[in-house]
Structures are given as structure tokens and as C-alpha cells.
Amino acid sequence: MDENPDTVGSGGTGGTGGTGDTNDTGDAAGTGGIAVRFRCGHGADAADARVTLQRDCPLCMLLAETKRSREQLLRRVAPPGRAALAQETRIGVDYEWICTRGHSRYRAPVREALTGPGCPKCQKNAQAPAARFEGGVPFMKPGLKTRTSQAEQKLRMLLGERIRLPHRVNAIRISRTFYGKPEVWPDIIIPALRVAIEYDSPGRDKTSHRGLKEVSDLEKDAALAEVGWAVIRVRADGLGAVGPHSIVCSGVTAQLVDEILTMLAAIRGEAAVAALMRSEPSG
């Protein structure tokens, strides 16, 4: 982003949900009340705008970076703030949010609602003794819907031809909340080794797993490390290494699988990996 998103105002459209902070209600140039409109259509009305910026507003930019939509955000905000949030441009302004798990409403900046850990009650529950006892436990979450790329499917297939992979786990309990949930959903889970594998690609728009999403990936890795899991990140198609266990590649190949097996042995020991190896190719 070429400007600090919190200093760009909404052109007078979103004040009902905000905190009244000067940085959240001012304009981009700091001239005190210039009506600004953005390329995405948010901000001041076209007839009132004195400045039209040829870029999306900070909130739309953050939504794009975190792969979310404004409609998803509107479903989480308390009803009194929906009209303002529909036109909001700022990411540092507070709104009242509805916990998806049925807890009390809570106030937080838009930025935190998109990238933070969730409501305070969810955070407290995730750190309770019972929850911490379950931290690190892999399990099957029924009805879990995640996007799986062809590359991820190919990696699972090739790796599954070399070692035995479980098919009845798709989530791991953690001792904190991640996007408001007490679990994470890695691409590939190997419970016997307590290792998760993530396949990161920038995607067609070349923005995935960069910027805030990269920061989020590292937070996810840290949450798993807290409960005794290691994460191997396969960084493909131009993404650089992040974290202690990164493998940079140009795509899914047999050589990539060899590198993953070598790293698994380095993390958990050759004997542990050997115990999972298939004696014959899987059918």
C-alpha cells in the first residue's frame, strides 16, 4: 500500500460505526474535510467528491489481501453498523461485531475483525485448561469446506505413494484462536510425526501468501508450534522461504517429495519417517 490506510477517511460515509478518532475521519491529504472517492466506489458520493483516487479504498484493499468479501464482513457486524460498514473505507475504525460462536458482542477495529484472533470469550476459552489439554490433537471436522488446488491434490497423491497418510483428519486443535476458531486446517496432516505441510502459491493474481497473508501464515505456524507441531511450508511459483522449514520450488514434482521426506527426517528423525514408508507403491 502506498499510504497508511488508517489516515484515509471515508469521505463522511462511515461515522456511525467509528470511534471518532481524527486519523479515522480525516481525508487523505490531511486538509480537513476534503470529500474523497475511491475507484471501488466507496467514499464520498460522486457528485460531492472533490478528489477521486484511482485505487481501491483501504478496506477493499485489505479485503482483497485477506481473500474476503465485504458481504462476509457485513454478516459479522452488529445490525446498527451494517449501513455504515457497507460504505466504510477505513480499517482502523471500531465497530461492534457478532461472535460466530454465540458469545457476547465485542468491539474491535475492522482490521482486527479481519486478521485478529476473534472475540475475547473465544480467546479465553481457547486458553482454558481443558482446551490447552486438547491442544495438538488432530481430528476430523465434519462438513469442513476448504479450497484445494490441483497442485495440493497432486502433492498429497505423490506423497501418499511414498508414506502412509491418514484420511480421517483435517484439523488440529490449538491453544489459542486463529481467525476466531480453536483449530487450524493444514493442507496435509501427518499425526504420527506431528508435522503439517502447507502448499503456498501466489495464485493467478500473484497476491496470495504475500503481505498480510504471509504474516497470517506465520501466526498459524506459531500456533501449531505451541502445541508441539512443526510446519513444512512448500513455497511455489516465486514465493520466498519463510519460517524454519521452507522448501522453495517451481511446482509439484517427485524431487519435491524427496525434499519433503528429507526434511521430515531432519525434523523427527529417520526412524520415525521410515516407520511410515510404504514397502510398495500404493494402489
Side-chain angles (χ1 to χ4, degrees), residues 163 190 192-195 230 232 245 260-277:
I163 63 174
I190 311 177
L193 301 178
R194 294 179 76 82
V195 174
I232 294 177
H245 306 303
I260 291 175
L261 292 175
T262 298
M263 188 166 286
L264 285 172
I267 295 171
R268 298 303 188 211
E270 294 184 1
V273 177
L276 293 180
M277 297 292 290

Side-chain angles (χ1 to χ4, degrees), residues 191-213:
L193 301 178
R194 294 179 76 82
V195 174
I197 300 174
E198 299 278 21
Y199 184 86
D200 300 340
S201 170
R204 294 181 180 178
D205 59 5
K206 303 302 181 183
T207 62
S208 296
H209 298 284
R210 289 190 165 110
L212 284 175
K213 187 60 174 69

Side-chain angles (χ1 to χ4, degrees), residues 31-47:
T31 56
I34 291 179
V36 177
R37 185 175 177 83
F38 296 88
R39 180 179 58 189
C40 56
H42 297 116
D45 292 336

Side-chain angles (χ1 to χ4, degrees), residues 18-258:
T19 60
D21 184 271
T22 301
N23 284 342
D24 284 329
T25 56
D27 58 275
T31 56
I34 291 179
V36 177
R37 185 175 177 83
F38 296 88
R39 180 179 58 189
C40 56
H42 297 116
D45 292 336
D48 299 329
R50 293 182 59 188
V51 175
T52 300
L53 300 180
Q54 295 305 310
R55 65 172 177 83
D56 291 343
C57 72
L59 178 49
C60 283
M61 293 169 68
L62 182 60
L63 286 167
E65 192 169 350
T66 54
K67 303 298 181 184
R68 285 166 173 77
S69 68
R70 193 171 289 252
E71 288 70 25
Q72 290 175 311
L73 197 61
L74 288 172
R75 286 196 292 269
R76 294 174 53 194
V77 75
R82 286 175 185 165
L85 186 60
Q87 293 299 317
E88 186 61 78
T89 65
R90 304 161 294 178
I91 64 174
V93 63
D94 280 5
Y95 278 84
E96 187 176 54
W97 306 97
I98 300 172
C99 174
T100 57
R101 301 175 69 84
H103 297 139
S104 301
R105 297 180 182 183
Y106 63 100
R107 294 193 69 82
V110 176
R111 182 200 300 107
E112 187 174 314
L114 283 169
T115 63
C119 85
K121 185 67 177 292
C122 285
Q123 297 177 54
K124 185 176 180 180
N125 287 349
Q127 295 171 358
R132 296 191 71 84
F133 179 77
E134 295 179 353
V137 176
F139 67 100
M140 172 60 73
K141 185 178 180 70
L144 179 61
K145 295 181 180 180
T146 58
R147 297 178 181 177
T148 303
S149 68
Q150 292 184 348
E152 291 171 15
Q153 295 175 26
K154 182 179 179 181
L155 177 59
R156 171 176 280 279
M157 180 189 71
L158 292 179
L159 187 60
E161 290 176 351
R162 302 286 298 277
I163 63 174
R164 293 186 297 276
L165 294 176
H167 298 283
R168 294 184 179 180
V169 292
N170 59 7
I172 302 171
R173 299 279 185 193
I174 55 176
S175 294
R176 61 163 94 168
T177 54
F178 184 73
Y179 286 99
K181 298 187 181 301
E183 76 265 350
V184 293
W185 316 317
D187 296 329
I188 298 174
I189 298 173
I190 311 177
L193 301 178
R194 294 179 76 82
V195 174
I197 300 174
E198 299 278 21
Y199 184 86
D200 300 340
S201 170
R204 294 181 180 178
D205 59 5
K206 303 302 181 183
T207 62
S208 296
H209 298 284
R210 289 190 165 110
L212 284 175
K213 187 60 174 69
E214 182 178 301
V215 174
S216 176
D217 290 339
L218 293 176
E219 289 179 357
K220 182 178 181 180
D221 294 355
L224 284 166
E226 289 174 0
V227 292
W229 283 70
V231 179
I232 294 177
R233 284 208 171 266
V234 178
R235 304 281 288 176
D237 304 327
L239 293 177
V242 294
H245 306 303
S246 294
I247 299 176
V248 177
C249 68
S250 58
V252 179
T253 62
Q255 180 181 349
L256 171 61
V257 175
D258 289 338

